[in-house]
Amino acid sequence: MVETDKEALLDTDVSMEMEAEIEEIDEEIKSFKMNEFKIGNQNFIFNAEDPIFTCTGEKKEKRELNDCGTCKIVSLTKKTMVFCQFCGDANCKDCCNKNRFYPRAKLDNNGEKPRGRICKLCDRKFLVRAILLESQAKV
Ligand SMILES: [Zn+2]
Ligand SMILES: [Zn+2]
């Protein structure tokens, strides 16, 4: 657990991995319709008013799920659930291994924004939002 936290801390918001991911979803965004986006074979609805975009810290309410909230494939038990600290949903460990700044968080004593563990679904929503805002700015 400590080991993955360390790794996660090294993971910056604009990493190589993320650039690859942006390219990967660029095609999806081109065919973006009715605010739908895809992760694997799952369709999700993008909501610009999603509370994760304005959260100030860890979401306290946790939601236990039988299947991972992102991939919907991996079955979860109380032991294997990893809770996203943005949406509060249970995920498998592979779908919840990144972290990100809370968008509206106050700076901590080191002058840094606190980070939280984030699931792939929430992370993708931030990415979709960034791309949408960028494309709107161009128009
Ligand atoms: Zn999963
Ligand atoms: Zn989440």
Side-chain angles (χ1 to χ4, degrees):
M1 204 59 206
V2 176
E3 201 57 40
T4 54
D5 280 347
K6 232 190 244 170
E7 271 177 33
L9 282 172
L10 292 171
D11 186 20
T12 56
D13 280 343
V14 186
S15 60
M16 296 284 287
E17 188 192 329
M18 189 162 179
E19 280 182 25
E21 200 176 356
I22 289 174
E23 263 176 45
E24 176 198 312
I25 68 167
D26 206 33
E27 282 301 310
E28 290 173 28
I29 299 297
K30 277 179 195 152
S31 55
F32 198 72
K33 55 177 195 306
M34 300 303 288
N35 287 348
E36 275 180 22
F37 64 98
K38 265 187 151 188
I39 300 177
N41 293 323
Q42 303 293 331
N43 283 308
F44 295 97
I45 303 294
F46 178 77
N47 170 17
E49 309 290 312
D50 196 308
I52 65 168
F53 298 133
T54 52
C55 67
T56 57
E58 181 181 349
K59 177 156 177 168
K60 294 286 184 281
E61 309 89 68
K62 308 274 180 261
R63 192 161 70 124
E64 294 189 0
L65 297 168
N66 293 328
D67 301 308
C68 170
T70 296
C71 67
K72 320 268 192 211
I73 295 167
V74 178
S75 300
L76 302 173
T77 66
K78 278 194 192 296
K79 269 191 179 169
T80 60
M81 282 180 204
V82 180
F83 291 100
C84 170
Q85 293 174 324
F86 283 72
C87 67
D89 280 4
N91 273 255
C92 70
K93 65 172 176 21
D94 288 339
C95 290
C96 198
N97 58 13
K98 288 188 169 185
N99 64 71
R100 179 180 272 282
F101 298 112
Y102 293 115
R104 297 274 171 90
K106 293 208 176 74
L107 299 182
D108 64 17
N109 294 334
N110 300 321
E112 287 175 14
K113 271 194 181 184
R115 287 170 163 267
R117 190 170 58 234
I118 188 163
C119 70
K120 266 188 192 164
L121 176 53
C122 288
D123 197 53
R124 181 60 64 92
K125 286 178 185 172
F126 275 100
L127 212 54
V128 169
R129 182 168 175 265
I131 290 167
L132 283 179
L133 288 176
E134 199 180 300
S135 66
Q136 281 165 7
K138 275 182 197 157
V139 176

